[in-house]
Amino acid sequence: MCNKFQPPAPAPETPHYRGRFAPSPTGALHFGSLIAALASCLDARAHGGEWLVRMEDVDAERNVPGAADEILRTLEAFGFAWDGEVLWQSTRDDAYAAALAELVAAGLAYPCACSRKEIAARTTRPAIDGGLIYPGTCRNGLAPGAAARAWRLRVDQAPLAFVDRLQGEVAQQLEDAVGDFVLRRADGLFAYQLAVVVDDHFQGITDVVRGADLLASTPRQVWLQRCLGYPTPRYAHLPVATNAAGEKWSKQTLAPALECGKAAAELVRALAFLGQPVPFELGRATVAEVWNWAFAHWSFAAVPRQAAISAPAAP
């Protein structure tokens, strides 16, 4: 935990705000990561709340050796101070297994024997996240001689709606949007949707501030929360930064890694992206001065209500 730049303590609200930043160690942090980290941290501090860091390393096949340590070093160099210890999803398999067992016992989750090739042979309907909608082949039991490959959660056709603090009302019919979705994969790894829901509940997260690229998956998480009897956090999905081609800045689109030597300038750039009225002189400030200004002037109301915005030029 780094304690470099802590904000003045405003009067706490009830219930106590708990936010988080949850990167995946699949590469270095980039400008899009910084936007999510900065907005989630400032929103937590503005509410007198806690801000946690969780390393979402549950997908072991995609993890890059050394990336997690580099992410934490970068956050420290950029002046972030988090509360408590970092939670590592790779240590949480027992908790995910217990949640899956609870869903199975309640008749809400079931084994699935379908391969991707078999699913593609039975449906061509695209899912909202780019895959294919599961056609429900194993919903009523495995075919004779079939062996379970994965575990899925049952969904229904009832519209699921929630109000996002930035994007407004979001409604989705899960059966038409994704179908019964995977909780444990064929390779034995637990799926992101289950892990993030179990961990948000375990950590007492009240508010999730993250990129709008995750907006489409949020109804699945709300459904899971309801199935497990968990409270639903408040959500705020920030505009994602896009490159000149209109693609979201990400590791897949070769977003450049954050440079610790340019931390102050990158923080100012991120504040401007988030609609904050940064003064010209802040461009010459130190990291500590940028944080002091941000703590004093953060305005959630100024954050653009868009799903994507072109990233400003790098310093």
Side-chain angles (χ1 to χ4, degrees), residues 19 24 40 43 71-72 77 90 125 130-131 135 147 153 156 230 232 237 248 260 279 303:
S24 298
S40 60
D43 199 54
I71 286 170
L72 297 178
S90 54
R125 294 172 60 206
L153 183 69
D156 61 26
Y230 297 167
T232 293
H237 284 87
K248 184 193 81 157
C260 294
V303 179

Side-chain angles (χ1 to χ4, degrees), residues 27-226:
L29 293 182
H30 52 78
F31 183 68
S33 316
L34 180 61
I35 292 165
L38 185 60
S40 60
C41 181
L42 289 174
D43 199 54
R45 301 313 189 196
H47 286 83
E50 296 171 274
W51 185 70
L52 313 181
V53 171
R54 178 167 73 230
M55 198 60 63
E56 297 200 331
D57 58 344
V58 69
D59 192 347
E61 294 179 355
R62 297 180 62 236
N63 295 338
V64 173
D69 290 337
E70 182 182 355
I71 286 170
L72 297 178
R73 284 194 299 269
T74 301
L75 288 174
E76 290 181 345
F78 273 67
F80 285 93
W82 55 89
D83 296 295
E85 299 297 322
V86 175
L87 183 70
W88 298 76
Q89 285 190 332
S90 54
T91 68
R92 301 270 299 147
D93 275 4
D94 288 348
Y96 308 146
L100 176 58
E102 184 178 338
L103 294 166
V104 172
L108 300 174
Y110 62 89
C112 175
C114 299
S115 65
R116 290 183 182 179
K117 183 176 180 180
E118 290 168 335
I119 293 171
R122 293 185 174 98
T123 183
T124 57
R125 294 172 60 206
I128 198 168
D129 58 2
L132 292 172
I133 294 175
Y134 182 66
T137 308
C138 299
R139 204 173 212 231
N140 297 316
L142 299 179
R149 292 169 50 84
W151 286 86
R152 293 181 179 271
L153 183 69
R154 299 178 188 275
V155 300
D156 61 26
Q157 287 190 322
L160 190 152
F162 67 96
V163 177
D164 189 88
R165 293 170 61 198
L166 283 170
Q167 306 299 332
E169 183 170 351
V170 178
Q172 193 179 104
Q173 289 181 306
L174 288 171
E175 193 166 272
D176 293 332
V178 290
D180 298 342
F181 59 91
V182 172
L183 300 176
R184 191 165 196 172
R185 303 176 351 187
D187 59 9
L189 295 175
F190 290 98
Y192 162 76
Q193 306 295 353
L194 180 65
V196 71
V197 165
V198 170
D199 287 341
D200 279 346
H201 178 66
F202 173 72
Q203 294 188 287
I205 300 301
T206 63
D207 288 76
V208 175
V209 178
R210 61 188 182 186
D213 53 316
L214 291 168
L215 186 61
S217 68
T218 305
R220 275 169 277 175
Q221 293 168 25
V222 174
W223 178 255
L224 248 176
Q225 289 155 4
R226 294 177 182 178

Side-chain angles (χ1 to χ4, degrees), residues 31 35 212 238-244 246-249 272-275 302-312:
F31 183 68
I35 292 165
L238 306 161
V240 296
T242 58
N243 61 20
E247 303 167 317
K248 184 193 81 157
W249 270 129
F273 179 92
L274 290 165
V303 179
R305 266 66 177 162
Q306 297 165 243
I309 300 176
S310 179

